[in-house]
């Protein structure tokens, strides 16, 4: 009897802990934004994504790479070829081929290159970031649950740590980061990037713009995918209609009490 009771108590404890932890982990409610790219017909907000690219160049690229995104993919955001060449030339990249002595060849970026890492390797990146590694951001909006809202929330989530919270040396409190202590200091704040088009230079606007850019980077084919969806749906509905009519026609004689096939003397 005692045994059964012990097991019951243990089970209850395990379930409470399991569900309790799950609830605590899930309880950070992300900020919800309306994104133009959401929904089955969503498209990219190009002016916002272009401003986001400016933020990436001026702020984020000093620590983060976009190793799966080629400069030439910027054409999808409405940049002309010569602008893309100029953007690429702002960066230095290691050529795929060595020089005549077999050493690394460093040259200016070209449209065919991916947006390079600002550090030679992971150790160098960690050394300049207090041991933390700034991850590649090419797929960040897809690598995190509710990615765009998460990125927006993270960028705007640097708040005063609640009283009694211990934020370790070199860490920063962020409401939306798992565990709340993040090695990245708030990269954005009001007025940090100067916009040419008169858009408000506020933290919220910056967070919205960088998210639009990084979501384009993560899914440059989103619009094509959405554009394909409509004809596919129309075709499916058409085929449902055809199937219904054919079905009705085939079974009509049976429903009217006539047989379909006539054998021999029937
Ligand atoms: C001074 C260097 C630095 C700059 C500038 C910087 N970051 Fe970071 N970032 C880091 C480091 C370091 C980490 C790793 C943090 C950690 O693991 O605690 C990080 C992590 C991140 C993450 C991952 C969070 C997660 O869920 O794991 C995102 C997203 C991010 N940065 C976005 C940005 C964006 C967008 C910008 C530009 C607006 C930016 N960062 C600018 C250093 C930087």
């Amino acid at each position: 009897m005692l045994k059964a009771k012990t097991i019951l108590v243990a089970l209850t404890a395990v379930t409470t802990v399991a569900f309790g932890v799950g609830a605590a982990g899930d309880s950070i409610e992300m900020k919800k934004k309306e994104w133009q790219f959401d929904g089955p017909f969503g498209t990219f907000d190009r002016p916002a994504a272009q401003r986001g690219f400016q933020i990436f160049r001026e702020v984020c690229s000093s620590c983060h790479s976009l190793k799966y995104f080629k400069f030439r993919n910027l054409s999808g955001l409405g940049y002309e070829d010569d602008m893309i060449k100029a953007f690429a030339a702002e960066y230095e990249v290691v050529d795929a081929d060595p020089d005549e002595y077999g050493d690394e060849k460093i040259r200016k970026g070209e449209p065919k290159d991916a947006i390079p890492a600002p550090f030679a390797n992971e150790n160098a990146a960690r050394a300049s970031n207090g041991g933390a590694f700034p991850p590649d951001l090419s797929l960040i909006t897809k690598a995190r649950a509710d990615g765009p809202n998460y990125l927006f929330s993270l960028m705007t989530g640097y708040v005063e740590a609640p009283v009694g919270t211990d934020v370790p040396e070199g860490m920063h409190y962020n409401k939306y980061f798992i565990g709340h202590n993040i090695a990245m200091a708030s990269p954005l704040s009001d007025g940090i990037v100067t916009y040419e088009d008169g858009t408000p230079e506020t933290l919220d606007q910056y967070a919205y713009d960088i998210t639009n850019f990084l979501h384009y980077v993560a899914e440059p084919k989103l619009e094509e995918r959405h554009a394909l969806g409509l004809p596919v749906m129309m075709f499916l509905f058409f085929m449902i209609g055809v199937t219904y009519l054919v079905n009705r026609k085939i079974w009509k004689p049976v429903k009217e009490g006539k047989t379909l096939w006539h054998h021999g003397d029937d």
Side-chain angles (χ1 to χ4, degrees), residues 59 64 88-89 98 156 184 187 211 216 225 243 251 261:
V59 183
H64 293 277
T156 57
M184 170 173 71
T211 305
Y216 173 74
R225 192 162 56 74
T243 315
W251 291 98
W261 298 281

Side-chain angles (χ1 to χ4, degrees), residues 56 60-69 71 91-94 106 113-122 124-125 133-138:
F56 184 82
C60 323
S61 74
S62 60
C63 295
H64 293 277
S65 58
L66 292 180
K67 64 180 174 193
Y68 300 116
F69 186 77
F71 287 103
Y91 292 80
E92 285 192 333
V93 301
V94 181
I106 308 282
D113 297 316
I115 301 192
F119 303 105
N121 51 55
E122 185 171 335
F133 180 63
D136 184 81
L137 295 181
S138 309

Side-chain angles (χ1 to χ4, degrees), residues 31-63:
K31 295 183 189 177
K32 299 272 179 231
K33 271 272 162 189
E34 280 204 6
W35 304 105
Q36 193 181 299
F37 50 70
D38 271 347
F41 306 118
T43 53
F44 287 110
D45 179 344
R46 286 187 166 65
Q50 288 198 2
R51 291 190 302 268
F53 176 50
Q54 185 190 351
I55 298 174
F56 184 82
R57 273 162 53 223
E58 294 182 13
V59 183
C60 323
S61 74
S62 60
C63 295

